[in-house]
Amino acid sequence: MSNHAFMPDSYSILIKNANYLPVRKNGKRACVVKDASILIENGVIREISKSPFRQKSTKGEKIDAKDSLVLPGLVNAHTHLPETLERGVCDDATLDDWLWNHIWVMESRMGKKEAYAGAMLGCVEMIKCGTTSFIDQFYYAEELFDAVNKSGLRALLCPSVFDNCVESKTIERAFERAKEVISEKQGKSRRINWGIGPHAPYTVEKDMLLRIAEFADERNLPVHIHLQESLWEMEKAKKEFGMSPIKYLEKIGFFSDKNHQNKRKILGAHCVFVDNEDMEIMRKNELSVLHNPRCNLKLANGIAPVSDMLEKGINVAIGTDGCASNNNLFILEDLLIATILQKYLKSDPRVMPIEEAIELATINGARAIGLENEIGCIEEGKKADVIIVDMKGAHANPKHNILSNLIYASSSHDVNTTIVDGKILMHERKLRELDEQKVIDMARKASEVLLGKKDVR
Ligand SMILES: [Zn+2]
């Protein structure tokens, strides 16, 4: 933090009267800083100052953050974006029934147009709840790219590879399509990075898992896979592999490249049923866990031992999972559940304090996405992914502990401003780049196609 005043130029955003949570300062956990000014210029947090601001230029945007909390943009580490169209079509069912008899049946009617509409609806929802980056696994990667590009959000897109990819019908074709889209789109947007998403060890066979991993090596991509989510999956693995999916992946050589020289970057969604041996494999191989507490509860799968994982030095980020199961993309609500669940699991209210909880949705998410040096904290020189949460409401007062008010008393509807890459996507709850009603109308029409009310396109 510098002590001299600064002058914004025409491309700047000045956030004044900011109480902000850096999350990290010089690599260490940092607490809330009061009454600062934050200058954003050309997509970067240029300067943070405690001194009075002397402004000469009238250009640039000024935001008064009085009575608010400024945070790094939140990271939703596990989504299936077009599932927004399936919100509420099948609740209160078991995971295998929900997947095989409902979700995959509906998705079989999804075309490019519907995937785009569902992705746009998800982008609007994320901007409105303060999510600035997300990690997705879905097919129709080209349409997802177009939606994210238009929305202004940041993403790691991991095209799904498995038999149920309706875009491609067979797993072989799904892999080819994923390779095509990645080859074509990699490097085309500075906000969109690529990974690849073999669905799970129970849907993708060994040879294909390894081929996908080798492609990831060639392109330096992270691999995003569902792991150890349900008891059903664990029993299936026991019968077929004689061990847990994580032990099986280690046995087949999934965690490091062919020559055992380099670790692959693996993102494991769920990891609910993990024992100490699994966790040791996860730690050793630097796997990032994408924890989805609300989805795991709703599908009655269980509680991932996240506090144990963190204690062992495993990176844990937080996600909502798709809206067909959760049923929204509100990451702050998942954070509240995550912290309460760990206290319950350990019978100890001291477990996962608020400072640790917020890291799941900020710096840990940034690490999972591969951008820990660029986003996830508010520091000079970092990319300007910043949100402002309104703390004026009755529920956010008095302010004995502003971070406590955020985690334990606020909701996603309190997010007032969302800035990504130095661009204001929402201010005072109004979207700047997208027409919210138009997107909702487009998504409603698309969801009718999924219900079989119109011809598949
Ligand atoms: Zn998932």
Side-chain angles (χ1 to χ4, degrees), residues 61-130:
E61 185 127 5
K62 282 156 273 165
I63 297 174
D64 189 345
K66 193 171 182 294
D67 248 347
S68 303
L69 177 62
V70 181
L71 292 164
L74 304 176
V75 181
N76 186 340
H78 183 63
T79 62
H80 308 286
L81 214 49
E83 278 189 11
T84 49
L85 299 184
E86 296 161 288
R87 196 192 324 264
V89 293
C90 176
D91 297 300
D92 315 325
T94 60
L95 176 67
D96 52 339
D97 175 30
W98 172 84
L99 262 182
W100 295 98
N101 303 325
H102 298 275
I103 297 311
W104 286 343
V105 173
M106 272 188 84
E107 284 178 9
S108 71
R109 301 189 187 108
M110 186 184 284
K112 289 179 177 186
K113 205 171 165 184
E114 292 74 38
Y116 177 79
M120 285 303 287
L121 187 66
C123 288
V124 166
E125 205 179 326
M126 282 194 284
I127 294 166
K128 296 213 81 170
C129 72

Side-chain angles (χ1 to χ4, degrees), residues 1 6 8 12-22 33 35-41 44-51 53 61-63 65 69-72 378-380 382 384 386-388 419:
M1 185 177 293
F6 43 71
S12 71
I13 303 166
L14 174 73
I15 305 172
K16 55 180 188 172
N17 299 317
N19 296 322
Y20 79 99
L21 180 74
V33 178
D35 300 321
S37 295
I38 299 168
L39 178 70
I40 292 168
E41 248 177 24
V44 172
I45 299 171
R46 185 68 64 204
E47 203 158 352
I48 303 173
S49 172
K50 285 282 277 182
S51 65
F53 172 66
E61 185 127 5
K62 282 156 273 165
I63 297 174
L69 177 62
V70 181
L71 292 164
I378 296 184
E379 260 187 318
E380 289 175 355
K382 297 274 156 121
V386 173
I387 64 167
I388 305 175
I419 300 169

Side-chain angles (χ1 to χ4, degrees), residues 147-335:
V148 179
N149 206 23
K150 189 172 165 68
S151 74
L153 287 167
R154 199 181 295 286
L156 174 69
L157 299 180
C158 308
S160 292
V161 182
F162 72 125
D163 262 331
N164 283 50
C165 289
V166 296
E167 184 187 15
S168 316
K169 315 293 181 211
T170 68
I171 195 160
E172 200 61 54
R173 183 68 201 122
F175 185 33
E176 286 308 311
R177 181 69 189 135
K179 289 198 281 189
E180 268 168 34
V181 178
I182 292 167
S183 306
E184 197 190 311
K185 300 288 184 186
Q186 202 172 21
K188 292 275 164 69
S189 163
R190 64 182 189 151
R191 288 181 287 99
I192 302 172
N193 289 329
W194 291 90
I196 191 157
H199 175 261
Y202 66 90
T203 47
V204 182
E205 295 199 339
K206 180 186 159 191
D207 288 352
M208 180 54 87
L209 280 173
L210 293 175
R211 282 172 60 200
I212 292 168
E214 281 159 26
F215 171 71
D217 297 340
E218 284 166 29
R219 292 261 169 182
N220 197 21
L221 308 175
V223 182
H224 181 181
I225 186 165
H226 292 88
L227 291 174
Q228 310 198 179
E229 178 179 5
S230 69
L231 271 179
W232 170 84
E233 177 190 344
M234 297 304 286
E235 278 160 22
K236 194 171 188 291
K238 209 173 171 187
K239 265 187 226 152
E240 286 175 20
F241 316 137
M243 61 189 79
S244 75
I246 287 172
K247 294 186 188 86
Y248 164 75
L249 290 182
E250 189 185 46
K251 188 179 156 211
I252 66 169
F254 189 72
F255 288 114
S256 51
D257 68 9
K258 250 194 196 161
N259 308 318
H260 309 287
Q261 298 282 317
N262 300 304
K263 286 186 188 95
R264 290 182 174 132
K265 185 170 168 53
I266 310 293
L267 310 175
H270 300 295
C271 302
V272 174
F273 297 96
V274 288
D275 60 20
N276 281 331
E277 279 176 49
D278 292 325
M279 281 191 271
E280 182 49 26
I281 296 169
M282 290 151 72
R283 187 199 61 75
K284 216 170 57 190
N285 291 290
E286 295 171 19
L287 178 142
S288 271
V289 174
L290 316 180
H291 173 46
N292 305 281
R294 198 151 42 115
C295 174
N296 296 150
L297 285 183
K298 186 161 177 265
L299 290 167
N301 283 325
I303 306 170
V306 165
S307 57
D308 290 341
M309 295 176 191
L310 290 169
E311 207 168 284
K312 288 176 196 296
I314 297 167
N315 184 50
V316 181
I318 190 161
T320 54
D321 214 336
C323 286
S325 58
N326 196 0
N327 299 10
N328 60 36
L329 300 166
F330 291 176
I331 206 75
L332 274 177
E333 282 70 357
D334 274 86
L335 264 188

Side-chain angles (χ1 to χ4, degrees), residues 366-425:
R367 199 168 290 135
I369 218 168
L371 295 174
E372 65 268 38
N373 296 321
E374 295 170 72
I375 59 168
C377 45
I378 296 184
E379 260 187 318
E380 289 175 355
K382 297 274 156 121
K383 286 188 171 154
D385 289 8
V386 173
I387 64 167
I388 305 175
V389 183
D390 195 316
M391 290 274 166
K392 295 183 196 75
H395 61 281
N397 282 285
K399 291 184 177 56
H400 299 303
N401 182 338
I402 198 168
L403 199 52
S404 161
N405 289 358
L406 174 80
I407 301 287
Y408 291 128
S410 297
S411 79
S412 289
H413 299 290
D414 294 315
V415 176
N416 175 284
T417 303
T418 301
I419 300 169
V420 183
D421 213 30
K423 195 171 190 182
I424 301 175
L425 303 186

